[in-house]
Amino acid sequence: MKQQVKILGATLLEYVPNNGFISKINTNDIERIKELPFVNWVGSFTKDLKVASELTTQLLNRQQKIMINIKVFELTELDAVKRVLNQMKITIHGVMSMSGVILAEADASQIDELATIQGISWIEKYYPIESLDYQMNAEDISSEQPKNPLDDLTGFESGTKILNVESAYTKGLTGRSQIV
């Protein structure tokens, strides 16, 4: 199916679950692609589809600075998108060139304009990585030996007492190499 779409002139950029693709298609090829029996929809990838919903609440305070991840479609577009960000006076804090993600700081009021930039596929809020290291204090350490949870088993938990399985064990029936 992908091959058929490519033959008709589409360039598949990104997979969209389930069974969808963001594609570059010449206007001359759109009608032929729409006629394929497995194609359900062809439409424009508008700016509304590029911005994570979590940012829409952030846009209420238009003056707020926010940290964002900006994903580009193709790695070849990374430099061009960085140039546009610099022109918009958006601070670039880092670039993950292997994955095509730019970490940037922008005014919330700039998000709509960012979403119109050709080459950008997704904009989301950046969440910093938080270390889950826990530093233990002396009062966190117990001198008691941990109790073995198997010590309190009676045999009734698994049904071995009820089924009188002990008698089978004493006759040498353990279940090893035996088919029941």
Side-chain angles (χ1 to χ4, degrees):
M1 288 189 243
K2 290 192 299 187
Q3 196 58 34
Q4 287 176 283
V5 175
K6 288 179 183 178
I7 289 170
L8 292 178
T11 303
L12 304 180
L13 300 174
E14 284 187 18
Y15 175 73
V16 178
N18 287 329
N19 303 318
F21 285 92
I22 297 171
S23 310
K24 280 186 182 176
I25 304 172
N26 292 326
T27 39
N28 302 343
D29 301 326
I30 290 176
E31 289 307 315
R32 293 185 312 167
I33 290 172
K34 280 183 177 179
E35 291 171 4
L36 293 170
F38 53 85
V39 174
N40 294 323
W41 181 78
V42 175
S44 296
F45 189 61
T46 62
K47 66 179 183 158
D48 300 330
L49 299 173
K50 296 180 178 185
V51 180
S53 60
E54 65 202 9
L55 286 178
T56 55
T57 55
Q58 299 254 326
L59 297 179
L60 297 175
N61 182 356
R62 308 288 283 174
Q63 301 307 312
Q64 181 181 3
K65 288 265 191 199
I66 53 175
M67 294 293 289
I68 53 176
N69 286 322
I70 303 168
K71 171 96 171 71
V72 297
F73 281 116
E74 299 178 283
L75 296 178
T76 55
E77 297 172 315
L78 200 54
D79 288 333
V81 170
K82 285 180 359 187
R83 278 193 297 279
V84 174
L85 296 179
N86 286 326
Q87 290 168 358
M88 293 175 66
K89 306 279 189 264
I90 291 175
T91 305
I92 297 173
H93 289 282
V95 177
M96 292 162 267
S97 55
M98 295 297 288
S99 59
V101 175
I102 301 168
L103 173 61
E105 185 176 4
D107 289 331
S109 62
Q110 294 175 296
I111 299 296
D112 281 342
E113 186 180 352
L114 275 172
T116 63
I117 298 172
Q118 185 168 342
I120 291 180
S121 66
W122 186 245
I123 303 168
E124 65 186 6
K125 185 175 178 184
Y126 167 75
Y127 292 97
I129 296 171
E130 294 181 30
S131 172
L132 297 178
D133 289 343
Y134 179 73
Q135 301 299 320
M136 294 181 70
N137 299 323
E139 57 268 6
D140 295 328
I141 301 171
S142 172
S143 60
E144 295 178 26
Q145 288 293 326
K147 187 177 177 187
N148 184 343
L150 301 178
D151 288 346
D152 292 333
L153 293 180
T154 62
F156 286 107
E157 297 85 0
S158 64
T160 56
K161 292 263 187 191
I162 294 170
L163 297 172
N164 194 18
V165 175
E166 287 295 323
S167 63
Y169 290 155
T170 58
K171 292 180 182 170
L173 299 172
T174 63
R176 288 192 180 104
S177 302
Q178 299 164 351
I179 300 173
V180 179

